[in-house]
Amino acid sequence: METVLEVNHLSKQFDTFSLEDVSFQLPKGSIMGFVGENGAGKTTTIKLILNLINKNSGQVKMFGLDHMKDEKQIKEQIGVVFDNSHFHDHLRPDDIAKIMRNIFQNWDDALFTNYLKTFKLPLNKTVKEYSKGMKMKLSIATALSHHPKLLLLDEATSGLDPIVRNEILDILLDFIQDEERSILLSSHITSDLEKIADYITFIHDGKIVFSESKDELIYEYGIMKCGIEDFKKISKSDIVGYRKGQFGYEVLVRDKKEMEKKYRGFVIDHTNIEEIILFHVRGEEQ
Amino acid sequence: MDIIISNSSGKPIYEQISSQIKNHIISGTLLEGAALPSMRLLAKELRVSVITTKRAYEDLERDGFIETVMGKGSFVANRNMELIKEEQLRITEEHLQKAVHVAKSSGITLLDLHEMLSMLYEEE
Amino acid sequence: MKGLLIKDILNLRKTFRTTLFILVFYGLLAYSMVDPSFLSGMVVLLFTMVSITSFSYDDLAKWDTFALSMPVTKKEMVVSKYLLSILLAVMGTLFSVVFGALMVLFKDTSSISEQLLVSYVLFGIAILFVCIMLPLVYKFGVERSRVMMIAIFAIPTFIAFVLNRFGVPMPTEEQFFLLVKLSPLFLVLCIVLSYLISYKIYRNKDM
């Protein structure tokens, strides 16, 4: 399986926060959800990948090219969407097209116009007059209109209502129909990622906790529920994280089938990405 | 072709997909040589991961129900009556197993069961 | 880089209009005054300030972070700002030349050659202004730089005042013309030096 984005041992130190030894791979043709709580390091990682922030150490490759040596070549082939619109208030879509035409070699005016029409974005209004959802769709339209092979979105759906978010997810799924294309989508809205991600990479406190296929996560992890006495019977190595309630314990376990055999009679429920993350983070605190 | 998956069923989604497609092939909804939707399109429509649909198609190919041609897509394999019969036999056995289980636990004899079976078969 | 310049021009459309209005207003005011020569200096200054406004707009939109995610290098970002600033200074100077010509025609105050010289000196000052301002903006941001600029303008004025007070003679005509002849080289050097400083600051910045 070809890798379109390779991050190796990326590190960056700030005063109050540091990113340590971040590594993961995005296989070509897939969507990877990059998830973590606010402040975990998602945006920092993406900025490091894009060389917007100077790294301390590590290596990043896209399309097999080095992100610093072949920076311009890479950036012709990627589309980036940040969480806020970065267009000046007084610009209109045709102004944006005028600018982009002279930045990207592969800028496609017809494609841009098509996206504007599909997304129902008014051509005669300025960015200032656009709603938040419209601004985001405009950013996406811009990112898609130079035929990129890799899309990087940083919290692009945060702050949008469910209807717009759904529309955007559909746009992303359409984009990925061509298996030469890939998407890295960072978000703290796990339900969105559950809908479209093939892989999930979880970052917490500047470190990667896991990076695996979403299916495996959903099928393998489970929440085991038991009483206070029974909790003591569970071996420490089986506990990924736990939550103590007034009437019992909830334990996140890996390899559900094994656990079902090992701890007969215990309730083991299906889980979702949000819970897996919560337990990883909370489990640490306890 | 309808494919309905349940997120709350215990059965893994790729299994749900592959068994439903199998049924469509067996029942004739999907004919020999018919093109299946691309893995990606299916993933998008069902709102599941492309890894899931890929797995489902791989299983279907392994079991001989479909053929995947590089660059062209996946197609229903030539009707292999043997395979289909095997599948039907398996399902029938499953159902009969259940009937036997219930019969045994409620004291219904093998003779009673035989009678029931003949009656039902003739009725249809 | 063409795209960056287009972006600035598109953004500054409104600012241009406002600047022209101000010019027309002051132009009319100047016409009614005895010595309207202040307008020449004002024109050049106004146009040069416009380039600083472009930085403000970029900050507001957080444009830089986004721009650098596209095939645009930090070098291109800095070069385009210098180009823009120089172009604006040239524009302002052209306006002041036109105005100077009008003054000669209508007010009969001086000769064309004197007006041209004045415009050139103002152009030189504008370029120096750009050379000092841009690195400051890159280092400290637009708001803080604006404050610093006031101080920077005050210092040479103060020095000139003090020198004058102490009877230090003004340069002779000969010396003056020598300075004028050497100035293009001096200005180019200033621009290059200023650019190198700005680029170094910008390159080390985390976006």
Side-chain angles (χ1 to χ4, degrees), chain A residues 12 14 47 50-54 71-72 75-76 78 80-82 84-92 95-96 98-100 102-105 142, chain C residues 1-4 6-8 10-11 13-14 54 57-66 68-74 76 203-207:
Chain A
K12 172 73 180 181
F14 293 103
K47 284 188 174 176
L50 293 169
N51 205 21
L52 289 170
I53 296 180
N54 297 308
E71 195 172 341
K72 213 168 177 181
K75 288 179 177 173
E76 287 279 356
I78 63 174
V80 183
V81 183
F82 289 104
N84 282 311
S85 166
H86 289 269
F87 295 121
H88 307 76
D89 279 347
H90 301 298
L91 295 177
R92 286 198 191 82
D95 292 326
I96 293 172
K98 282 192 195 116
I99 298 169
M100 296 299 150
N102 289 292
I103 290 183
F104 289 107
Q105 277 171 14
T142 310
Chain C
M1 193 157 57
K2 192 174 170 197
L4 294 173
I6 292 177
K7 178 259 310 175
D8 279 325
L10 288 171
N11 279 321
R13 276 179 303 205
K14 219 176 181 186
S54 79
Y57 277 131
D58 286 347
D59 277 347
L60 262 171
K62 299 205 183 63
W63 166 258
D64 283 40
T65 309
F66 174 62
L68 291 167
S69 72
M70 299 192 284
V72 171
T73 59
K74 280 189 169 176
E76 284 168 337
R203 205 179 41 183
N204 292 327
K205 247 191 184 174
D206 278 339
M207 289 294 134

Side-chain angles (χ1 to χ4, degrees), chain A residues 117-134:
Chain A
K117 202 158 67 167
T118 315
F119 300 166
K120 299 202 185 63
L121 295 174
L123 302 173
N124 57 352
K125 291 223 163 84
T126 61
V127 164
K128 196 173 184 185
E129 295 165 301
Y130 273 24
S131 70
K132 192 155 191 217
M134 283 156 80

Side-chain angles (χ1 to χ4, degrees), chain C residues 154-171:
Chain C
I155 293 171
T157 316
F158 180 69
I159 293 176
F161 178 71
V162 168
L163 286 176
N164 202 23
R165 240 24 232 335
F166 281 92
V168 174
M170 298 297 287

